[in-house]
Amino acid sequence: GVENPTVVVSIDLSGQLYFENQAIQERELSRRLREKAALYNDLVLVINADKAVELETFFRLSKLAADAGLKEVLVAGRPVVRRTSFVP
């Protein structure tokens, strides 16, 4: 686990960003991250993304986080759920 306080940004397949379970645009996300960073000195951004999200998106979010004052960014992938049929 992560010892410092975290905020999570999720990204779906279409590239839509979500913060606190609400769709959000990058400009608003930047403002919200600055607010959170002002409250928590060691705030960590966790990016939760589908594996098909482009690498460019991770770079943009990492820069956005750094510009907001966050010093650490972690990436979390969503596990692939495989359904198998059980045949006795």
Side-chain angles (χ1 to χ4, degrees):
V2 178
E3 294 179 13
N4 294 330
T6 62
V7 290
V8 177
V9 173
S10 297
I11 313 166
D12 66 17
L13 276 172
S14 71
Q16 176 62 58
L17 303 174
Y18 297 87
F19 181 72
E20 296 181 340
N21 297 316
Q22 300 290 321
I24 194 167
Q25 298 299 315
E26 280 188 35
R27 176 179 247 169
E28 177 65 10
L29 177 60
S30 176
R31 185 185 70 75
R32 300 284 301 277
L33 288 177
R34 286 178 198 278
E35 289 175 355
K36 295 284 186 179
L39 295 173
Y40 303 99
N41 189 34
D42 294 330
L43 190 64
V44 176
L45 174 63
V46 177
I47 301 173
N48 180 23
D50 185 277
K51 70 178 186 174
V53 171
E54 293 183 9
L55 192 56
E56 162 83 21
T57 304
F58 292 105
F59 291 140
R60 276 197 336 266
L61 285 178
S62 294
K63 179 161 180 6
L64 193 116
D67 291 348
L70 284 77
K71 294 175 181 60
E72 188 173 1
V73 176
L74 302 176
V75 176
R78 294 186 184 139
V80 175
V81 178
R82 292 193 174 107
R83 295 182 184 247
T84 58
S85 299
F86 178 73
V87 180

